[in-house]
Amino acid sequence: MKGIVLPQYNKNIIRALLSLRPEEKPLRKPLADEVVIKMHAAPCNPSDIAFMQGGYNIVKTLPSIMGFEGSGVVTDAGKEAKHLIDKPVSCFVQEDSDGTWAEYLITKKENVIVLNEKMNMDQAACFTVNPFTAYGMMDIARVNESKAIVLDAAGGQVPEMMRAMAKSEGVESINIVRKQETAALLKNEGVKHVLVETEDNFDDKLKTLCHQLQATTAFDAVGGILAGKIFNAMPLDSELIIYGGLSNKPVSELNTMNLIFNQKFIYGFSLPDWKEELENFAEISEYLQSKFIDGTLHTKIQGITSLDNVVKGLRNYIANMSAGKILIKPS
Ligand SMILES: NC(=O)c1ccc[n+]([C@@H]2O[C@H](COP(=O)([O-])OP(=O)(O)OC[C@H]3O[C@@H](n4cnc5c(N)ncnc54)[C@H](OP(=O)(O)O)[C@@H]3O)[C@@H](O)[C@H]2O)c1
């Protein structure tokens, strides 16, 4: 079976991309608690980019097949997982083993979500990470009873899902992007509050909006100075949750007096940690699938690439991430 192999980590993303190569590997038999999945599709996420650069919290023994999530159908299974044969599934795999950018994936039965038969399999390829992240983080805004939330990297798919969830709960969103064209795209889609991080008086505009709308919870995927600016702009009793580090820069320029006297908090969100604390994962999974089936939630997909053309496909994604995910399909 064929898969896309990363031979070694490389901080230079272009060199890392160019080092990817399709490779044939033998398909072994599954262990008792494992399933074999014939892959339908797998996305490239920012975590895959960080992983290739050796900058992610998951470090594998290389060479290894890329990919943390995807969708497919179970074609074989060990004796503890026979009931999963023929089921359509989404899968999430972060162990030190081969990943999802391949014709087949062998993984533990715990790493799969059995899908409602009405789930679209392209959407299912991007189901195990972003929708649960958006749901888990919206829970924080719910607990905080925030009337509005702040989202940066707002052309991305996590913010898009959070906007959809916020809208259905009557919560406003303040959306920050880095490019004018992404701002135009969002405004065209009817998004009300959009700021470009480089525009004149950005700090003042953000502060005014945060205070007007009472945005007391912010979700930052960028880090660097932008995270500090958001923190400083929010009203008393606010929380800044860091869930991504797209700028590759440390969070900076936090207003010290705000930390001391304005009861503001800053902390991180990690999907695996959040999941570990859950008792109703299956219920949430069913709820989220129903939202995909009725069209409330959706992952934007900008293109599809084969295993052999993966480098070209990924270069398109990196050049314009707000246009949506690239799906890698083995056939
Ligand atoms: N903590 C967790 O458990 C968890 C779970 C899921 C996702 N995440 C993180 O969430 C973030 C968003 O993921 P996603 O799937 O929504 O991404 P995505 O759909 O692939 O889109 C990425 C977005 O980030 C923007 N962006 C990229 N680099 C940027 C920078 N340096 N400054 C400002 N904006 C930048 C892109 O804008 P352009 O169009 O301008 O490139 C694009 O809108 C990632 O960091 C991911 O790792 C974390």
Side-chain angles (χ1 to χ4, degrees), residues 1-5 20-24 39-42 65-66 99-104 304-314 327-331:
M1 69 109 182
K2 200 191 277 182
I4 297 297
V5 167
L20 295 176
R21 52 170 197 262
E23 208 170 272
E24 290 287 340
M39 295 303 297
H40 169 80
I65 292 177
M66 289 283 307
T100 57
W101 296 7
E103 288 173 324
Y104 289 89
I304 287 168
T305 187
S306 65
L307 291 172
D308 290 325
N309 284 318
V310 82
V311 175
K312 190 169 168 231
L314 297 190
L327 287 189
I328 300 152
K329 284 195 182 180
S331 55

PDB file of all heavy atoms in Angstrom, residues 1-5 20-24 39-42 65-66 99-104 304-314 327-331:
ATOM      1  N   MET A   1       0.842  -1.192   0.000  1.00  0.00           N
ATOM      2  CA  MET A   1       0.000   0.000   0.000  1.00  0.00           C
ATOM      3  C   MET A   1       0.879   1.245   0.000  1.00  0.00           C
ATOM      4  O   MET A   1       1.994   1.217   0.500  1.00  0.00           O
ATOM      5  CB  MET A   1      -0.926  -0.013   1.222  1.00  0.00           C
ATOM      6  CG  MET A   1      -0.226   0.184   2.539  1.00  0.00           C
ATOM      7  SD  MET A   1      -0.612   1.807   3.202  1.00  0.00           S
ATOM      8  CE  MET A   1       0.378   1.805   4.682  1.00  0.00           C
ATOM      9  N   LYS A   2       0.292   2.342  -0.575  1.00  0.00           N
ATOM     10  CA  LYS A   2       1.093   3.554  -0.740  1.00  0.00           C
ATOM     11  C   LYS A   2       0.770   4.574   0.346  1.00  0.00           C
ATOM     12  O   LYS A   2      -0.391   4.699   0.762  1.00  0.00           O
ATOM     13  CB  LYS A   2       0.764   4.143  -2.115  1.00  0.00           C
ATOM     14  CG  LYS A   2       1.838   5.098  -2.640  1.00  0.00           C
ATOM     15  CD  LYS A   2       1.357   5.861  -3.856  1.00  0.00           C
ATOM     16  CE  LYS A   2       1.499   5.100  -5.145  1.00  0.00           C
ATOM     17  NZ  LYS A   2       1.065   5.905  -6.305  1.00  0.00           N
ATOM     18  N   GLY A   3       1.789   5.322   0.794  1.00  0.00           N
ATOM     19  CA  GLY A   3       1.572   6.396   1.765  1.00  0.00           C
ATOM     20  C   GLY A   3       2.603   7.493   1.558  1.00  0.00           C
ATOM     21  O   GLY A   3       3.624   7.282   0.890  1.00  0.00           O
ATOM     22  N   ILE A   4       2.320   8.680   2.108  1.00  0.00           N
ATOM     23  CA  ILE A   4       3.245   9.814   1.958  1.00  0.00           C
ATOM     24  C   ILE A   4       4.169   9.864   3.175  1.00  0.00           C
ATOM     25  O   ILE A   4       3.731  10.115   4.304  1.00  0.00           O
ATOM     26  CB  ILE A   4       2.461  11.151   1.854  1.00  0.00           C
ATOM     27  CG1 ILE A   4       1.584  11.129   0.608  1.00  0.00           C
ATOM     28  CG2 ILE A   4       3.412  12.345   1.835  1.00  0.00           C
ATOM     29  CD1 ILE A   4       2.345  11.022  -0.699  1.00  0.00           C
ATOM     30  N   VAL A   5       5.446   9.646   2.910  1.00  0.00           N
ATOM     31  CA  VAL A   5       6.426   9.502   3.987  1.00  0.00           C
ATOM     32  C   VAL A   5       7.198  10.805   4.213  1.00  0.00           C
ATOM     33  O   VAL A   5       7.629  11.459   3.254  1.00  0.00           O
ATOM     34  CB  VAL A   5       7.396   8.347   3.638  1.00  0.00           C
ATOM     35  CG1 VAL A   5       8.623   8.339   4.529  1.00  0.00           C
ATOM     36  CG2 VAL A   5       6.667   7.021   3.737  1.00  0.00           C
ATOM     37  N   LEU A  20       8.784  15.263   1.086  1.00  0.00           N
ATOM     38  CA  LEU A  20       7.724  14.240   1.166  1.00  0.00           C
ATOM     39  C   LEU A  20       7.768  13.350  -0.072  1.00  0.00           C
ATOM     40  O   LEU A  20       7.943  13.850  -1.181  1.00  0.00           O
ATOM     41  CB  LEU A  20       6.343  14.911   1.237  1.00  0.00           C
ATOM     42  CG  LEU A  20       6.039  15.744   2.471  1.00  0.00           C
ATOM     43  CD1 LEU A  20       4.670  16.421   2.313  1.00  0.00           C
ATOM     44  CD2 LEU A  20       6.056  14.896   3.732  1.00  0.00           C
ATOM     45  N   ARG A  21       7.579  12.052   0.134  1.00  0.00           N
ATOM     46  CA  ARG A  21       7.593  11.170  -1.053  1.00  0.00           C
ATOM     47  C   ARG A  21       6.599  10.006  -0.872  1.00  0.00           C
ATOM     48  O   ARG A  21       6.443   9.479   0.236  1.00  0.00           O
ATOM     49  CB  ARG A  21       9.004  10.630  -1.296  1.00  0.00           C
ATOM     50  CG  ARG A  21       9.608   9.989  -0.077  1.00  0.00           C
ATOM     51  CD  ARG A  21      10.888   9.247  -0.380  1.00  0.00           C
ATOM     52  NE  ARG A  21      11.164   8.353   0.726  1.00  0.00           N
ATOM     53  CZ  ARG A  21      12.009   8.626   1.714  1.00  0.00           C
ATOM     54  NH1 ARG A  21      12.677   9.751   1.754  1.00  0.00           N
ATOM     55  NH2 ARG A  21      12.193   7.739   2.681  1.00  0.00           N
ATOM     56  N   PRO A  22       5.913   9.650  -1.983  1.00  0.00           N
ATOM     57  CA  PRO A  22       5.043   8.476  -1.905  1.00  0.00           C
ATOM     58  C   PRO A  22       5.898   7.216  -1.809  1.00  0.00           C
ATOM     59  O   PRO A  22       6.906   7.120  -2.506  1.00  0.00           O
ATOM     60  CB  PRO A  22       4.259   8.502  -3.218  1.00  0.00           C
ATOM     61  CG  PRO A  22       4.807   9.602  -4.040  1.00  0.00           C
ATOM     62  CD  PRO A  22       5.930  10.256  -3.320  1.00  0.00           C
ATOM     63  N   GLU A  23       5.519   6.308  -0.931  1.00  0.00           N
ATOM     64  CA  GLU A  23       6.321   5.088  -0.746  1.00  0.00           C
ATOM     65  C   GLU A  23       5.400   3.880  -0.596  1.00  0.00           C
ATOM     66  O   GLU A  23       4.335   3.998   0.028  1.00  0.00           O
ATOM     67  CB  GLU A  23       7.162   5.249   0.533  1.00  0.00           C
ATOM     68  CG  GLU A  23       8.450   4.459   0.512  1.00  0.00           C
ATOM     69  CD  GLU A  23       9.344   4.842   1.687  1.00  0.00           C
ATOM     70  OE1 GLU A  23      10.140   5.791   1.569  1.00  0.00           O
ATOM     71  OE2 GLU A  23       9.230   4.169   2.732  1.00  0.00           O
ATOM     72  N   GLU A  24       5.793   2.750  -1.136  1.00  0.00           N
ATOM     73  CA  GLU A  24       5.032   1.507  -0.977  1.00  0.00           C
ATOM     74  C   GLU A  24       5.475   0.810   0.311  1.00  0.00           C
ATOM     75  O   GLU A  24       6.672   0.748   0.600  1.00  0.00           O
ATOM     76  CB  GLU A  24       5.285   0.554  -2.159  1.00  0.00           C
ATOM     77  CG  GLU A  24       4.678   0.989  -3.480  1.00  0.00           C
ATOM     78  CD  GLU A  24       3.157   0.833  -3.536  1.00  0.00           C
ATOM     79  OE1 GLU A  24       2.592   0.065  -2.733  1.00  0.00           O
ATOM     80  OE2 GLU A  24       2.543   1.498  -4.403  1.00  0.00           O
ATOM     81  N   MET A  39      -8.603   4.138   3.373  1.00  0.00           N
ATOM     82  CA  MET A  39      -8.794   5.582   3.521  1.00  0.00           C
ATOM     83  C   MET A  39      -9.587   6.173   2.357  1.00  0.00           C
ATOM     84  O   MET A  39      -9.341   5.858   1.194  1.00  0.00           O
ATOM     85  CB  MET A  39      -7.433   6.291   3.634  1.00  0.00           C
ATOM     86  CG  MET A  39      -6.633   5.934   4.889  1.00  0.00           C
ATOM     87  SD  MET A  39      -7.508   6.249   6.435  1.00  0.00           S
ATOM     88  CE  MET A  39      -7.733   8.023   6.373  1.00  0.00           C
ATOM     89  N   HIS A  40     -10.524   7.038   2.712  1.00  0.00           N
ATOM     90  CA  HIS A  40     -11.268   7.816   1.707  1.00  0.00           C
ATOM     91  C   HIS A  40     -10.537   9.137   1.460  1.00  0.00           C
ATOM     92  O   HIS A  40     -10.268   9.504   0.322  1.00  0.00           O
ATOM     93  CB  HIS A  40     -12.698   8.073   2.199  1.00  0.00           C
ATOM     94  CG  HIS A  40     -13.429   9.079   1.367  1.00  0.00           C
ATOM     95  ND1 HIS A  40     -14.017   8.761   0.161  1.00  0.00           N
ATOM     96  CD2 HIS A  40     -13.632  10.416   1.538  1.00  0.00           C
ATOM     97  CE1 HIS A  40     -14.561   9.845  -0.367  1.00  0.00           C
ATOM     98  NE2 HIS A  40     -14.339  10.877   0.446  1.00  0.00           N
ATOM     99  N   ALA A  41     -10.213   9.851   2.546  1.00  0.00           N
ATOM    100  CA  ALA A  41      -9.549  11.158   2.416  1.00  0.00           C
ATOM    101  C   ALA A  41      -8.935  11.559   3.740  1.00  0.00           C
ATOM    102  O   ALA A  41      -9.347  11.087   4.810  1.00  0.00           O
ATOM    103  CB  ALA A  41     -10.556  12.217   1.971  1.00  0.00           C
ATOM    104  N   ALA A  42      -7.949  12.453   3.652  1.00  0.00           N
ATOM    105  CA  ALA A  42      -7.311  13.005   4.861  1.00  0.00           C
ATOM    106  C   ALA A  42      -6.925  14.456   4.569  1.00  0.00           C
ATOM    107  O   ALA A  42      -6.453  14.751   3.468  1.00  0.00           O
ATOM    108  CB  ALA A  42      -6.072  12.192   5.220  1.00  0.00           C
ATOM    109  N   ILE A  65       4.654   7.693   7.868  1.00  0.00           N
ATOM    110  CA  ILE A  65       3.600   8.244   6.990  1.00  0.00           C
ATOM    111  C   ILE A  65       2.902   9.385   7.724  1.00  0.00           C
ATOM    112  O   ILE A  65       2.558   9.267   8.902  1.00  0.00           O
ATOM    113  CB  ILE A  65       2.606   7.136   6.575  1.00  0.00           C
ATOM    114  CG1 ILE A  65       3.307   6.124   5.647  1.00  0.00           C
ATOM    115  CG2 ILE A  65       1.387   7.737   5.869  1.00  0.00           C
ATOM    116  CD1 ILE A  65       2.457   4.944   5.226  1.00  0.00           C
ATOM    117  N   MET A  66       2.707  10.507   7.003  1.00  0.00           N
ATOM    118  CA  MET A  66       2.098  11.719   7.561  1.00  0.00           C
ATOM    119  C   MET A  66       0.593  11.528   7.822  1.00  0.00           C
ATOM    120  O   MET A  66      -0.022  10.633   7.267  1.00  0.00           O
ATOM    121  CB  MET A  66       2.241  12.863   6.552  1.00  0.00           C
ATOM    122  CG  MET A  66       3.615  13.411   6.340  1.00  0.00           C
ATOM    123  SD  MET A  66       4.118  14.483   7.683  1.00  0.00           S
ATOM    124  CE  MET A  66       2.771  15.654   7.793  1.00  0.00           C
ATOM    125  N   GLY A  99       0.575   7.353   9.685  1.00  0.00           N
ATOM    126  CA  GLY A  99      -0.632   8.173   9.733  1.00  0.00           C
ATOM    127  C   GLY A  99      -1.578   7.956   8.567  1.00  0.00           C
ATOM    128  O   GLY A  99      -1.529   6.926   7.874  1.00  0.00           O
ATOM    129  N   THR A 100      -2.419   8.978   8.339  1.00  0.00           N
ATOM    130  CA  THR A 100      -3.608   8.830   7.480  1.00  0.00           C
ATOM    131  C   THR A 100      -3.402   9.183   6.007  1.00  0.00           C
ATOM    132  O   THR A 100      -4.306   8.974   5.208  1.00  0.00           O
ATOM    133  CB  THR A 100      -4.739   9.731   8.016  1.00  0.00           C
ATOM    134  OG1 THR A 100      -4.241  11.087   8.067  1.00  0.00           O
ATOM    135  CG2 THR A 100      -5.193   9.305   9.391  1.00  0.00           C
ATOM    136  N   TRP A 101      -2.254   9.764   5.643  1.00  0.00           N
ATOM    137  CA  TRP A 101      -2.059  10.143   4.232  1.00  0.00           C
ATOM    138  C   TRP A 101      -1.594   8.901   3.471  1.00  0.00           C
ATOM    139  O   TRP A 101      -0.446   8.791   3.025  1.00  0.00           O
ATOM    140  CB  TRP A 101      -1.012  11.249   4.106  1.00  0.00           C
ATOM    141  CG  TRP A 101      -1.398  12.556   4.753  1.00  0.00           C
ATOM    142  CD1 TRP A 101      -2.489  12.804   5.522  1.00  0.00           C
ATOM    143  CD2 TRP A 101      -0.667  13.790   4.681  1.00  0.00           C
ATOM    144  NE1 TRP A 101      -2.490  14.114   5.950  1.00  0.00           N
ATOM    145  CE2 TRP A 101      -1.389  14.739   5.439  1.00  0.00           C
ATOM    146  CE3 TRP A 101       0.516  14.182   4.065  1.00  0.00           C
ATOM    147  CZ2 TRP A 101      -0.948  16.054   5.592  1.00  0.00           C
ATOM    148  CZ3 TRP A 101       0.957  15.488   4.212  1.00  0.00           C
ATOM    149  CH2 TRP A 101       0.220  16.422   4.957  1.00  0.00           C
ATOM    150  N   ALA A 102      -2.514   7.965   3.315  1.00  0.00           N
ATOM    151  CA  ALA A 102      -2.139   6.652   2.780  1.00  0.00           C
ATOM    152  C   ALA A 102      -3.366   5.944   2.226  1.00  0.00           C
ATOM    153  O   ALA A 102      -4.503   6.373   2.452  1.00  0.00           O
ATOM    154  CB  ALA A 102      -1.533   5.819   3.906  1.00  0.00           C
ATOM    155  N   GLU A 103      -3.119   4.835   1.521  1.00  0.00           N
ATOM    156  CA  GLU A 103      -4.242   4.035   1.029  1.00  0.00           C
ATOM    157  C   GLU A 103      -4.932   3.304   2.179  1.00  0.00           C
ATOM    158  O   GLU A 103      -6.147   3.128   2.161  1.00  0.00           O
ATOM    159  CB  GLU A 103      -3.729   3.031  -0.015  1.00  0.00           C
ATOM    160  CG  GLU A 103      -3.350   3.711  -1.331  1.00  0.00           C
ATOM    161  CD  GLU A 103      -2.688   2.774  -2.323  1.00  0.00           C
ATOM    162  OE1 GLU A 103      -1.925   1.887  -1.902  1.00  0.00           O
ATOM    163  OE2 GLU A 103      -2.920   2.958  -3.530  1.00  0.00           O
ATOM    164  N   TYR A 104      -4.133   2.869   3.159  1.00  0.00           N
ATOM    165  CA  TYR A 104      -4.694   2.154   4.314  1.00  0.00           C
ATOM    166  C   TYR A 104      -4.075   2.690   5.598  1.00  0.00           C
ATOM    167  O   TYR A 104      -2.915   3.132   5.605  1.00  0.00           O
ATOM    168  CB  TYR A 104      -4.397   0.647   4.232  1.00  0.00           C
ATOM    169  CG  TYR A 104      -5.193  -0.051   3.153  1.00  0.00           C
ATOM    170  CD1 TYR A 104      -4.695  -0.144   1.855  1.00  0.00           C
ATOM    171  CD2 TYR A 104      -6.438  -0.613   3.432  1.00  0.00           C
ATOM    172  CE1 TYR A 104      -5.437  -0.766   0.844  1.00  0.00           C
ATOM    173  CE2 TYR A 104      -7.176  -1.245   2.433  1.00  0.00           C
ATOM    174  CZ  TYR A 104      -6.672  -1.316   1.149  1.00  0.00           C
ATOM    175  OH  TYR A 104      -7.406  -1.933   0.165  1.00  0.00           O
ATOM    176  N   ILE A 304      -8.708  18.950  -3.951  1.00  0.00           N
ATOM    177  CA  ILE A 304      -8.412  17.538  -3.669  1.00  0.00           C
ATOM    178  C   ILE A 304      -7.139  17.187  -4.400  1.00  0.00           C
ATOM    179  O   ILE A 304      -6.930  17.642  -5.537  1.00  0.00           O
ATOM    180  CB  ILE A 304      -9.597  16.664  -4.139  1.00  0.00           C
ATOM    181  CG1 ILE A 304     -10.747  16.878  -3.146  1.00  0.00           C
ATOM    182  CG2 ILE A 304      -9.226  15.183  -4.218  1.00  0.00           C
ATOM    183  CD1 ILE A 304     -12.067  16.362  -3.550  1.00  0.00           C
ATOM    184  N   THR A 305      -6.270  16.440  -3.750  1.00  0.00           N
ATOM    185  CA  THR A 305      -5.022  16.056  -4.402  1.00  0.00           C
ATOM    186  C   THR A 305      -4.791  14.554  -4.232  1.00  0.00           C
ATOM    187  O   THR A 305      -5.240  13.963  -3.247  1.00  0.00           O
ATOM    188  CB  THR A 305      -3.846  16.892  -3.842  1.00  0.00           C
ATOM    189  OG1 THR A 305      -2.686  16.612  -4.593  1.00  0.00           O
ATOM    190  CG2 THR A 305      -3.554  16.592  -2.385  1.00  0.00           C
ATOM    191  N   SER A 306      -4.107  13.959  -5.195  1.00  0.00           N
ATOM    192  CA  SER A 306      -3.789  12.537  -5.078  1.00  0.00           C
ATOM    193  C   SER A 306      -2.508  12.381  -4.261  1.00  0.00           C
ATOM    194  O   SER A 306      -1.794  13.358  -4.018  1.00  0.00           O
ATOM    195  CB  SER A 306      -3.576  11.943  -6.478  1.00  0.00           C
ATOM    196  OG  SER A 306      -2.430  12.555  -7.043  1.00  0.00           O
ATOM    197  N   LEU A 307      -2.191  11.156  -3.870  1.00  0.00           N
ATOM    198  CA  LEU A 307      -0.954  10.917  -3.115  1.00  0.00           C
ATOM    199  C   LEU A 307       0.259  11.347  -3.945  1.00  0.00           C
ATOM    200  O   LEU A 307       1.223  11.902  -3.412  1.00  0.00           O
ATOM    201  CB  LEU A 307      -0.834   9.437  -2.740  1.00  0.00           C
ATOM    202  CG  LEU A 307      -1.840   8.910  -1.702  1.00  0.00           C
ATOM    203  CD1 LEU A 307      -1.733   7.407  -1.567  1.00  0.00           C
ATOM    204  CD2 LEU A 307      -1.652   9.572  -0.346  1.00  0.00           C
ATOM    205  N   ASP A 308       0.192  11.123  -5.265  1.00  0.00           N
ATOM    206  CA  ASP A 308       1.352  11.442  -6.107  1.00  0.00           C
ATOM    207  C   ASP A 308       1.566  12.947  -6.295  1.00  0.00           C
ATOM    208  O   ASP A 308       2.656  13.382  -6.609  1.00  0.00           O
ATOM    209  CB  ASP A 308       1.209  10.764  -7.475  1.00  0.00           C
ATOM    210  CG  ASP A 308       1.373   9.252  -7.344  1.00  0.00           C
ATOM    211  OD1 ASP A 308       2.179   8.828  -6.493  1.00  0.00           O
ATOM    212  OD2 ASP A 308       0.671   8.512  -8.062  1.00  0.00           O
ATOM    213  N   ASN A 309       0.483  13.747  -6.126  1.00  0.00           N
ATOM    214  CA  ASN A 309       0.609  15.202  -6.355  1.00  0.00           C
ATOM    215  C   ASN A 309       0.550  15.997  -5.064  1.00  0.00           C
ATOM    216  O   ASN A 309       0.197  17.177  -5.070  1.00  0.00           O
ATOM    217  CB  ASN A 309      -0.520  15.678  -7.270  1.00  0.00           C
ATOM    218  CG  ASN A 309      -0.235  15.283  -8.698  1.00  0.00           C
ATOM    219  OD1 ASN A 309       0.900  15.404  -9.160  1.00  0.00           O
ATOM    220  ND2 ASN A 309      -1.234  14.764  -9.365  1.00  0.00           N
ATOM    221  N   VAL A 310       0.886  15.341  -3.957  1.00  0.00           N
ATOM    222  CA  VAL A 310       0.636  15.950  -2.654  1.00  0.00           C
ATOM    223  C   VAL A 310       1.392  17.270  -2.454  1.00  0.00           C
ATOM    224  O   VAL A 310       0.855  18.220  -1.881  1.00  0.00           O
ATOM    225  CB  VAL A 310       0.932  14.908  -1.534  1.00  0.00           C
ATOM    226  CG1 VAL A 310       2.368  14.813  -1.199  1.00  0.00           C
ATOM    227  CG2 VAL A 310       0.098  15.167  -0.326  1.00  0.00           C
ATOM    228  N   VAL A 311       2.614  17.369  -2.961  1.00  0.00           N
ATOM    229  CA  VAL A 311       3.422  18.574  -2.713  1.00  0.00           C
ATOM    230  C   VAL A 311       2.750  19.800  -3.330  1.00  0.00           C
ATOM    231  O   VAL A 311       2.596  20.835  -2.677  1.00  0.00           O
ATOM    232  CB  VAL A 311       4.860  18.389  -3.240  1.00  0.00           C
ATOM    233  CG1 VAL A 311       5.662  19.672  -3.088  1.00  0.00           C
ATOM    234  CG2 VAL A 311       5.557  17.248  -2.492  1.00  0.00           C
ATOM    235  N   LYS A 312       2.292  19.650  -4.578  1.00  0.00           N
ATOM    236  CA  LYS A 312       1.620  20.762  -5.265  1.00  0.00           C
ATOM    237  C   LYS A 312       0.361  21.169  -4.480  1.00  0.00           C
ATOM    238  O   LYS A 312       0.108  22.356  -4.243  1.00  0.00           O
ATOM    239  CB  LYS A 312       1.264  20.327  -6.687  1.00  0.00           C
ATOM    240  CG  LYS A 312       0.791  21.449  -7.550  1.00  0.00           C
ATOM    241  CD  LYS A 312       0.722  21.011  -9.017  1.00  0.00           C
ATOM    242  CE  LYS A 312      -0.042  22.063  -9.802  1.00  0.00           C
ATOM    243  NZ  LYS A 312      -1.103  21.528 -10.605  1.00  0.00           N
ATOM    244  N   GLY A 313      -0.403  20.178  -4.091  1.00  0.00           N
ATOM    245  CA  GLY A 313      -1.641  20.452  -3.352  1.00  0.00           C
ATOM    246  C   GLY A 313      -1.367  21.200  -2.055  1.00  0.00           C
ATOM    247  O   GLY A 313      -2.039  22.170  -1.719  1.00  0.00           O
ATOM    248  N   LEU A 314      -0.347  20.781  -1.330  1.00  0.00           N
ATOM    249  CA  LEU A 314      -0.048  21.406  -0.034  1.00  0.00           C
ATOM    250  C   LEU A 314       0.497  22.817  -0.209  1.00  0.00           C
ATOM    251  O   LEU A 314       0.258  23.690   0.632  1.00  0.00           O
ATOM    252  CB  LEU A 314       0.945  20.545   0.760  1.00  0.00           C
ATOM    253  CG  LEU A 314       0.443  19.149   1.129  1.00  0.00           C
ATOM    254  CD1 LEU A 314       1.390  18.473   2.108  1.00  0.00           C
ATOM    255  CD2 LEU A 314      -0.954  19.180   1.718  1.00  0.00           C
ATOM    256  N   LEU A 327      -7.790  18.161   0.581  1.00  0.00           N
ATOM    257  CA  LEU A 327      -7.972  16.758   0.971  1.00  0.00           C
ATOM    258  C   LEU A 327      -7.052  15.876   0.143  1.00  0.00           C
ATOM    259  O   LEU A 327      -6.974  16.028  -1.082  1.00  0.00           O
ATOM    260  CB  LEU A 327      -9.414  16.301   0.725  1.00  0.00           C
ATOM    261  CG  LEU A 327     -10.501  16.810   1.663  1.00  0.00           C
ATOM    262  CD1 LEU A 327     -11.797  16.061   1.384  1.00  0.00           C
ATOM    263  CD2 LEU A 327     -10.108  16.665   3.129  1.00  0.00           C
ATOM    264  N   ILE A 328      -6.374  14.977   0.830  1.00  0.00           N
ATOM    265  CA  ILE A 328      -5.507  14.023   0.133  1.00  0.00           C
ATOM    266  C   ILE A 328      -6.302  12.731  -0.032  1.00  0.00           C
ATOM    267  O   ILE A 328      -6.748  12.148   0.963  1.00  0.00           O
ATOM    268  CB  ILE A 328      -4.223  13.796   0.968  1.00  0.00           C
ATOM    269  CG1 ILE A 328      -3.485  15.135   1.134  1.00  0.00           C
ATOM    270  CG2 ILE A 328      -3.326  12.744   0.334  1.00  0.00           C
ATOM    271  CD1 ILE A 328      -2.667  15.233   2.358  1.00  0.00           C
ATOM    272  N   LYS A 329      -6.516  12.350  -1.292  1.00  0.00           N
ATOM    273  CA  LYS A 329      -7.318  11.137  -1.558  1.00  0.00           C
ATOM    274  C   LYS A 329      -6.472  10.114  -2.280  1.00  0.00           C
ATOM    275  O   LYS A 329      -5.879  10.418  -3.321  1.00  0.00           O
ATOM    276  CB  LYS A 329      -8.538  11.488  -2.419  1.00  0.00           C
ATOM    277  CG  LYS A 329      -9.641  12.187  -1.656  1.00  0.00           C
ATOM    278  CD  LYS A 329     -10.936  12.167  -2.479  1.00  0.00           C
ATOM    279  CE  LYS A 329     -12.021  12.905  -1.730  1.00  0.00           C
ATOM    280  NZ  LYS A 329     -13.288  12.923  -2.484  1.00  0.00           N
ATOM    281  N   PRO A 330      -6.436   8.880  -1.763  1.00  0.00           N
ATOM    282  CA  PRO A 330      -5.601   7.851  -2.397  1.00  0.00           C
ATOM    283  C   PRO A 330      -6.114   7.453  -3.774  1.00  0.00           C
ATOM    284  O   PRO A 330      -5.347   6.992  -4.591  1.00  0.00           O
ATOM    285  CB  PRO A 330      -5.678   6.665  -1.425  1.00  0.00           C
ATOM    286  CG  PRO A 330      -6.470   7.113  -0.268  1.00  0.00           C
ATOM    287  CD  PRO A 330      -7.095   8.436  -0.549  1.00  0.00           C
ATOM    288  N   SER A 331      -7.434   7.575  -4.017  1.00  0.00           N
ATOM    289  CA  SER A 331      -7.880   7.189  -5.374  1.00  0.00           C
ATOM    290  C   SER A 331      -9.044   8.076  -5.781  1.00  0.00           C
ATOM    291  O   SER A 331      -9.681   8.691  -4.965  1.00  0.00           O
ATOM    292  CB  SER A 331      -8.308   5.736  -5.397  1.00  0.00           C
ATOM    293  OG  SER A 331      -9.288   5.531  -4.400  1.00  0.00           O
TER     294      SER A 331
END
